[in-house]
Amino acid sequence: MRNSPAPAEPPAGCPLCPRLVAYREENARQEPDWFNGAVPSFGDEQARLLIVGLAPGRTGANRTARPFTGDWAGDLLYATIDRFGFSEGTYRADPGDGLILKDAMITNAVRCAPPQNKPVGEEMANCRPFLIARIAALPMLKVMIALGRIAHENTLRALGYKPSGYTFAHGAEHEVEGPQGPLTLIDSYHCSRYNTNTGRLTEPMFHAVFEKAKARL
C-alpha cells in the first residue's frame, strides 16, 4: 500500500472536485442551515471494523455532517451496528443524539454528496488519498465492510489492489493486506432504500454480513 500525504479527513470545504463543489454551493444556497461539506468519518479511532459507503446522501449526511445519518440507509445500518454491539446510545438520525461507535468506524469512498448519488471516476480518484489515509490511521483495523460494488472497488484500489482480481458479491470475503497487516474485506449490497424495497437486500442478509465481520474479530 502506498504512502499518502493526505490527511484522514478532508477539510469541509475541500476544493478538489469542481462538480461536487458546485453542487455543494447549490445546496448551500437552497439549504443554508445544512452542513453542505465534505463529511468526516464517524467512530472509534481504535476500531477494528471499518464500514465503507459510497458517498453522503444530499438530505442525509450532507445535511447532518455524520455518515448515513438522516436517511433510510442509516436507519438500517445503525440498527444493525447496535444489534451486533458496535454502538452505545440510541440512534435518532441526529448527530446530537449522543451515539458512540465502539470498535467500529464509518466512512465513505467519496466524502462530498454527488448529484444523483453518482460520483464519477475522477472524483473517486481525487478522494481516494483520504480513504488511503483513513485506513492507515486505524492501528487496530482487521475487517472492512464495503457497502456496494463501488465502495468495494474503491477500497481495493485504496489498498493497492486491482478490483478485477476480487469479484464483488454479497457476503463475499476477500483476504488482502493492509498497512497494519492482513485484512478481511467483506462485501454487502448497499443498504439503500431501493435495495431494501426491491428485496435485493433483506435485513437477514445484511445481518449475515455483520455476523461474518463479528466472527472475524
Side-chain angles (χ1 to χ4, degrees), residues 173-194:
E173 298 180 54
H174 311 280
E175 302 305 321
V176 294
E177 195 69 21
Q180 283 84 26
L183 286 174
T184 300
L185 173 64
I186 306 175
D187 295 336
S188 174
Y189 291 137
H190 195 283
C191 49
S192 66
R193 182 188 290 271
Y194 176 81

Side-chain angles (χ1 to χ4, degrees), residues 14-25 115 120 122-123 126:
C14 181
L16 294 179
C17 302
R19 188 181 76 117
L20 300 190
V21 171
Y23 190 55
R24 256 188 359 229
E25 291 173 347
V120 299
E122 183 181 10
E123 292 158 357
N126 286 345

Side-chain angles (χ1 to χ4, degrees), residues 103-114:
D103 204 19
M105 179 176 279
I106 308 171
T107 193
N108 278 305
V110 174
R111 303 297 185 87
C112 293

Side-chain angles (χ1 to χ4, degrees), residues 78-79 81-89 91 99-102 104:
Y78 282 107
I81 284 171
D82 180 64
R83 179 187 179 95
F84 287 91
F86 290 110
S87 66
E88 207 169 79
Y91 172 74
L99 187 73
I100 295 171
L101 298 193
K102 303 186 302 178

